[in-house]
Amino acid sequence: MDKVFKVEITNGEPNGYLSATFLDLPASENEYIQAQIQAKVANSEKMETEVLQVYQGPVTTDMVDGTPFSELNTLAAVLSQLDNTQEFALEGMLKIRQEATGVQEIPVSDILHMADNTDRCMVATHIWDHLALGHLLYETELMPESAARLLDVTKAGSEYQNELLTVCAHQWQRETKGVFVSQGYVEPDPEFLPFLLGQKQSQDESPQMGMSP
């Protein structure tokens, strides 16, 4: 199982830093017990865990600041099992949440729910700007009919066509709440979007997307 987080464990005492120990997550129960012993943890309720490094995946240290060890370990175990496409989708969902709330920290329970619903996002690799998105919309016949008819009679690659593609892509992104991330473009399922925006729990159903994978 690949490691996701490097954490520092201290016992919560004023001089706890003297016996601080480091552990890579996900960790086994035996590894956790050994870390507690090395950190001289007498009271597990006072134990403090800090994420020092993220080895892989889209979750950052700011998102999980102050999270208890058990939750971090569970999250690390789930993240270690995600494939590249799932990580791609999760990165987009996390960005949507942060941009909507203006808060870097995200509850681990919400991250786990997102990780369990990565199939409710459309992902498009190598689509990093609005011009590229506009081309994708046009090529997949998702462009508004009026714009598509105009594009049909414009010169391919012309400045006018590029401007029109970019404008249409901006409007599409605003309406769908899609985001550009490291691997490309992520667009959420509209029924799952309220949860991503931090408004309410998502529905159990997974309806049609605005775009197809």
Side-chain angles (χ1 to χ4, degrees):
M1 184 178 293
D2 293 336
K3 300 301 184 180
V4 178
F5 301 133
K6 177 180 181 179
V7 301
E8 179 185 57
I9 294 176
T10 54
N11 56 28
E13 301 296 335
N15 62 346
Y17 66 92
L18 295 174
S19 58
T21 189
F22 306 102
L23 184 62
D24 289 338
L25 307 184
S28 66
E29 183 177 358
N30 183 60
E31 289 172 328
Y32 173 46
I33 292 173
Q34 291 301 314
Q36 284 185 306
I37 293 173
Q38 292 174 18
K40 299 181 180 179
V41 176
N43 185 344
S44 59
E45 293 183 359
K46 295 177 62 178
M47 187 183 81
E48 298 177 354
T49 308
E50 180 183 358
V51 178
L52 301 179
Q53 185 177 350
V54 178
Y55 294 125
Q56 63 172 358
V59 174
T60 66
T61 56
D62 290 337
M63 293 178 189
V64 292
D65 184 40
T67 300
F69 177 88
S70 60
E71 293 183 30
L72 282 174
N73 203 34
T74 298
L75 178 60
V78 170
L79 294 178
S80 70
Q81 299 300 314
L82 298 183
D83 61 29
N84 188 61
T85 300
Q86 291 171 321
E87 287 188 0
F88 184 1
L90 180 58
E91 182 182 0
M93 290 191 281
L94 294 171
K95 184 174 181 178
I96 291 170
R97 169 62 68 85
Q98 289 184 324
E99 290 185 348
T101 63
V103 178
Q104 292 295 304
E105 189 173 349
I106 301 175
V108 167
S109 59
D110 284 2
I111 300 176
L112 289 172
H113 189 51
M114 293 177 197
D116 194 43
N117 285 273
T118 54
D119 59 337
R120 299 181 73 173
C121 282
M122 184 286 300
V123 296
T125 58
H126 308 302
I127 303 297
W128 289 301
D129 56 38
H130 290 95
L131 179 57
L133 178 59
H135 276 290
L136 177 63
L137 296 174
Y138 182 46
E139 292 165 3
T140 55
E141 300 182 349
L142 290 169
M143 191 72 71
E145 185 178 351
S146 58
R149 286 200 305 267
L150 193 55
L151 285 164
D152 288 340
V153 297
T154 58
K155 182 179 179 180
S158 66
E159 182 178 351
Y160 177 69
Q161 186 189 66
N162 289 343
E163 289 179 355
L164 183 56
L165 288 168
T166 300
V167 168
C168 289
H170 271 286
Q171 181 177 350
W172 180 278
Q173 185 194 15
R174 284 195 299 270
E175 293 176 354
T176 62
K177 305 301 183 185
V179 290
F180 298 104
V181 294
S182 63
Q183 295 189 58
Y185 179 73
V186 177
E187 183 178 301
D189 179 326
E191 290 291 335
F192 196 58
L193 184 58
F195 173 81
L196 297 181
L197 298 178
Q199 296 173 355
K200 64 178 182 179
Q201 294 295 315
S202 65
Q203 302 298 318
D204 292 334
E205 296 80 6
S206 180
Q208 294 295 318
M209 299 295 302
M211 298 174 65
S212 299

